Amino acid sequence: MKKFFAILPVLAISSALFTSCGDAKKTTEPLIGIAIPETHVTRWVKDGSSLKAEAEKRGYRAQVQHADADQDIQNRHIQSFMSVGAKLLVVGSVDENAAPVIAEANKKGVEVIAYDRLIPNSEDYDYYITFNNFKVGVLMGQALAAALNLDARHEAPKNITLFAGAPTDGNAFFFYDGAMSVLNPYIERGVLKVVGPYAKTSDDRENFLKIATEKWLTPVAKARMEELLKNEAAGVTLDAILAPNDNLARAVMEAVKADPKYAAKLPLVTGQDAEFENAMLIKNGQQLCTIFKNTAILAEAAIILADQILKGETPNIPVAYLATGDLEKLGNTGKKVVKTYLLDPVLITKDNLNIPIEAGFYTAAETSELQK
Ligand code: BGC
C-alpha cells in the first residue's frame, strides 16, 4: 500500500507532462465501464477482454470488472465506474438487484447497454444487445428430437431429464422455454418421457425451480444429477439430458460417467457456448451438440452501439438486427420494452464443428487439437 502511494506523485507528474506534451486525448477519451457477471463460465472472461479491446480500438478508455455471480459486488463495480467518470456502462448483470444502480446511472446521465442478459425490473436504460435466446433453446430441442428420431417414433418413449440455468438470469427462462416448445409435443404424444421434475414451461415456477441451477454452478448441477441417478432415474436408462450450457453439460456428464449403467453408452447431452472442452467432447462423440454464439461479434456489436450512442447517432449495427414483432418481448424488463438488438445462435454438432473453428473462436493450440 505504502509503495503504491509513494509512486502516485510520480504518476501525477508524468501524466501532467503527457498532457502538456499534447497527448491530452489520452485523458479525455470517454471511459466505458464493462461489468461482467462471473468468471466461472469461460465465455465471460473472453467477453470482458473482447469488449475492452473493441472499445480501445475505437478510441475509448475501458475498464473491466468481474463480479463472481454476486450482484452486490457488481453494483459496487458500477458505482466505481461512475465515480471515475464513465460515460457509458456495458452491463452483463447477475440478477434483478442491478436495477437500483442502473437508476443511479440514469440520474447521472450515464448511458447503459444491457449486455447478453436483460436487466429486469428497470425502466432506466434504453438498449439491450444479445442473441435470440429463445432460439438457443429451440435449437437444443430440435437437435434432441432429431438425434432421438422422435418424429418417426411410435413405440415406448425415450427418457429425458431436464436441467435449466440460474433462476435469477432471464436468459435461463428463454433457453428452457425455447427447448420445451419443441419437446412438449413429443411428451404429449408419449414418445418422450421426462424423468424427474417436469415444468411444461418456466411459468410452472415450482417445477422450474427444481430444474434450475443456482448461479449456473457446476457443483449444483452435478449434485442434482447424482441425486437423480440414485432416485427418479434409478430404474430407467436415460436417453437424453437437456443441459442449458456447456459448463453444466460437463457437470452432469461427470455424474453420469460415474454410473456403471452408462459405461457403454452415454445419454445425448446438449450444451451452449461452444467451449473448447465441449467441442472436444462433441468431436469424440460424448456430447450431442452445443450452441455457438460468437461472443467476439456480440462484443464488437455492443461497442459499435456504444460508440453510436455516445456520438448521438441513430444506432445502426451491421452485424445485429433490431428485435421487432414477436421478438420484442425479449426486451421486456417488466417495466418497459427496451430497444433490443439480436444476433443469431448456431447449432453445432459433430457435422459442423468447423463453423466456430473457422470463425477463429479458438486459440491456435485449441484449433489444432480440434482438427487432429
Ligand atoms: C449466457 C450463457 C452462459 C450463462 C452462464 C447466460 O446468461 O447467455 O452464454 O452460459 O449465462 O454464464
Side-chain angles (χ1 to χ4, degrees):
M1 212 28 144
K2 212 166 176 192
K3 200 165 164 207
F4 177 72
F5 282 119
I7 59 168
L8 265 187
V10 181
L11 280 181
I13 294 166
S14 58
S15 83
L17 277 178
F18 243 72
T19 314
S20 63
C21 288
D23 199 3
K25 202 170 154 262
K26 266 263 164 312
T27 48
T28 53
E29 289 158 348
L31 174 67
I32 296 182
I34 299 162
I36 298 292
E38 62 202 29
T39 50
H40 66 274
V41 175
T42 323
R43 67 152 285 184
W44 289 110
V45 180
K46 284 202 210 169
D47 285 28
S49 42
S50 305
L51 284 161
K52 187 167 191 286
E54 289 294 338
E56 288 171 351
K57 202 163 94 189
R58 286 175 175 75
Y60 293 95
R61 286 179 298 137
Q63 285 182 9
V64 187
Q65 294 278 8
H66 301 87
D68 203 18
D70 182 325
Q71 191 59 57
D72 290 339
I73 296 177
Q74 183 170 77
N75 287 353
R76 290 199 287 278
H77 292 157
I78 293 175
Q79 281 161 336
S80 88
F81 292 145
M82 291 194 282
S83 74
V84 292
K87 294 279 177 283
L88 184 141
L89 305 166
V90 177
V91 181
S93 58
V94 179
D95 60 44
E96 64 182 6
N97 296 320
V101 282
I102 302 305
E104 281 174 40
N106 190 26
K107 275 203 201 90
K108 291 194 163 84
V110 176
E111 296 282 355
V112 172
I113 298 174
Y115 180 79
D116 193 81
R117 298 177 175 175
L118 188 71
I119 302 165
N121 283 333
S122 173
E123 53 192 347
D124 295 304
Y125 67 105
D126 296 318
Y127 302 98
Y128 175 35
I129 186 154
T130 189
F131 287 85
N132 181 337
N133 292 313
F134 188 82
K135 189 169 172 198
V136 167
V138 168
L139 294 175
M140 289 179 191
Q142 287 173 342
L144 285 172
L148 293 168
N149 201 12
L150 295 180
D151 280 331
R153 197 164 179 86
H154 296 289
E155 64 276 36
K158 293 281 188 184
N159 293 314
I160 188 169
T161 197
L162 307 168
F163 281 74
T168 43
D169 174 358
N171 286 352
F173 295 77
F174 286 114
F175 301 150
Y176 186 79
D177 288 334
M180 296 318 289
S181 74
V182 176
L183 298 178
N184 281 326
Y186 298 109
I187 296 168
E188 278 149 28
R189 202 154 65 70
V191 293
L192 185 65
K193 185 167 175 246
V194 178
V195 177
Y198 169 45
K200 190 168 178 184
T201 70
S202 61
D203 286 344
D204 173 357
R205 214 38 61 98
E206 197 188 324
N207 282 307
F208 180 76
L209 289 176
K210 292 182 189 156
I211 293 165
T213 312
E214 204 57 43
K215 294 189 177 195
W216 294 94
L217 289 172
T218 46
V220 175
K222 188 177 173 198
R224 190 167 89 79
M225 189 70 230
E226 285 166 350
E227 280 308 305
L228 272 162
L229 291 168
K230 275 190 262 163
N231 297 295
E232 295 102 313
V236 296
T237 300
L238 289 171
D239 300 296
I241 303 173
L242 176 73
N245 77 353
D246 283 349
N247 216 36
L248 300 187
R250 292 199 304 275
V252 300
M253 282 167 82
E254 258 180 56
V256 173
K257 281 179 187 170
D259 185 331
K261 194 157 81 183
Y262 297 98
K265 191 170 178 265
L266 289 169
L268 301 169
V269 181
T270 59
Q272 163 177 206
D273 292 335
E275 286 195 22
F276 166 69
E277 281 172 86
N278 299 72
M280 287 300 289
L281 292 169
I282 292 173
K283 174 176 143 83
N284 299 333
Q286 296 192 24
Q287 182 173 329
L288 171 67
C289 64
T290 186
I291 306 295
F292 175 44
K293 301 189 300 186
N294 195 337
T295 46
I297 308 276
L298 181 69
E300 183 191 7
I303 298 298
I304 292 175
L305 176 60
D307 185 40
Q308 293 169 343
I309 295 169
L310 288 170
K311 288 181 176 150
E313 296 168 3
T314 308
N316 174 20
I317 313 162
V319 290
Y321 56 95
L322 189 63
T324 53
D326 222 24
L327 291 175
E328 270 189 16
K329 66 174 185 289
L330 295 173
N332 186 354
T333 73
K335 295 226 166 141
K336 86 186 236 194
V337 177
V338 290
K339 256 202 169 73
T340 299
Y341 294 90
L342 296 174
L343 284 86
D344 277 325
V346 181
L347 174 71
I348 301 298
T349 63
K350 212 174 179 170
D351 298 333
N352 63 353
L353 261 174
N354 63 307
I355 291 182
I357 295 174
E358 282 162 20
F361 198 61
Y362 304 109
T363 64
E366 290 170 346
T367 299
S368 77
E369 273 300 300
L370 285 165
Q371 285 174 333
K372 258 185 204 157

